[in-house]
Amino acid sequence: AQSVTQPDIHITVSEGASLELRCNYSYGATPYLFWYVQSPGQGLQLLLKYFSGDTLVQGIKGFEAEFKRSQSSFNLRKPSVHWSDAAEYFCAVGRFPTNAGKSTFGDGTTLTVKP
Amino acid sequence: ETGVTQSPTHLIKTRGQQVTLRCSSQSGHNTVSWYQQALGQGPQFIFQYYREEENGRGNFPPRFSGLQFPNYSSELNVNALELDDSALYLCASSLWGGNTEAFFGQGTRLTVV
């Protein structure tokens, strides 16, 4: 069975500081890995995805993530956080390559940005 | 803008009632997945529809059922509503075998009282 763990329930960073959100996954085959962002009461917006190839992937809004197979991790990073980045962040794993729609999500990390 | 639309956006139902939620998939997508997101949790996979048939189900009882139509739109039906069914219901559309991500709608907020 596949699973995703986001160890940090809540993270607070100052505006302009760097950010790293952790994600660990368990999956028996080649994973699809995703990071989504969700603002209150809204749907999910895809930040970035990893299917194969280069293990450092770039996404929207200045985010990047690094896939480390040996550590079963896919951590999300941003060098300088903006106040508008405050939201809920979800890591997810899906089935490669046929079925991104059937994904397993972590419970999310809430990001608060201090002025 | 993802192109996945869900209706209604908000809904209040009484325990024991039945509800139907609707989803229009993004143009070119042929697969629809439904998720339940309870407050403070990540989305949980309910089931998926491909070629108008259910293609996998998560840990949800049979009173959660669905349909997919020839135009790839979909419905989620929940019978005998329980208080714990209160959640944000998300629809995601994708292309089967397309090596692409799924796109999510804005969700339907269901409150059961």
Side-chain angles (χ1 to χ4, degrees):
Chain A
Q2 57 201 57
S3 66
V4 175
T5 301
Q6 294 181 246
D8 304 305
I9 296 173
H10 196 169
I11 283 184
T12 299
V13 299
S14 297
E15 190 168 15
S18 63
L19 171 70
E20 182 170 30
L21 303 182
R22 296 183 290 164
C23 172
N24 294 101
Y25 69 92
S26 173
Y27 194 69
T30 305
Y32 266 171
L33 291 162
F34 308 91
W35 275 99
Y36 291 90
V37 62
Q38 184 178 40
S39 298
Q42 299 298 308
L44 299 171
Q45 181 183 22
L46 182 70
L47 288 175
L48 47 77
K49 60 185 182 287
Y50 172 78
F51 291 165
S52 64
D54 192 347
T55 57
L56 185 64
V57 293
Q58 303 296 321
I60 63 171
K61 304 185 179 185
F63 286 93
E64 67 177 26
E66 185 171 13
F67 170 60
K68 293 185 177 181
R69 184 185 298 275
S70 61
Q71 298 177 19
S72 297
S73 69
F74 188 56
N75 294 348
L76 181 72
R77 301 194 292 251
K78 186 170 184 178
S80 178
V81 169
H82 188 263
W83 65 266
S84 61
D85 293 325
E88 186 90 14
Y89 291 81
F90 293 95
C91 180
V93 62
R95 182 175 302 172
F96 180 89
T98 57
N99 202 340
K102 193 184 292 183
S103 297
T104 298
F105 285 77
D107 281 335
T109 297
T110 301
L111 173 64
T112 298
V113 180
K114 293 191 302 184
Chain B
E1 188 169 351
T2 65
V4 180
T5 58
Q6 293 187 242
S7 62
T9 54
H10 295 84
L11 202 52
I12 300 175
K13 289 287 189 178
T14 302
R15 188 172 49 183
Q17 285 188 314
Q18 178 266 342
V19 69
T20 297
L21 310 182
R22 295 177 174 83
C23 172
S24 294
S25 59
Q26 179 159 309
S27 177
H29 284 182
N30 55 12
T31 305
V32 175
S33 306
W34 286 93
Y35 290 82
Q36 180 195 66
Q37 186 179 15
L39 202 60
Q41 296 182 17
Q44 300 292 315
F45 176 75
I46 303 174
F47 45 53
Q48 181 182 78
Y49 277 83
Y50 171 62
R51 291 184 174 177
E52 302 179 44
E53 293 188 357
E54 187 178 293
N55 176 55
R57 170 182 282 263
N59 189 26
F60 283 83
R63 59 190 185 83
F64 285 78
S65 63
L67 286 172
Q68 186 182 33
F69 300 99
N71 66 355
Y72 307 122
S73 66
S74 177
E75 288 182 354
L76 164 65
N77 299 289
V78 187
N79 294 321
L81 283 166
E82 301 177 0
L83 297 180
D84 285 348
D85 295 333
S86 296
L88 182 68
Y89 289 84
L90 295 165
C91 166
S93 78
S94 56
L95 181 63
W96 183 269
N99 198 24
T100 62
E101 66 268 25
F103 291 90
F104 284 81
Q106 293 297 95
T108 294
R109 171 70 64 185
L110 172 65
T111 302
V112 182
V113 298

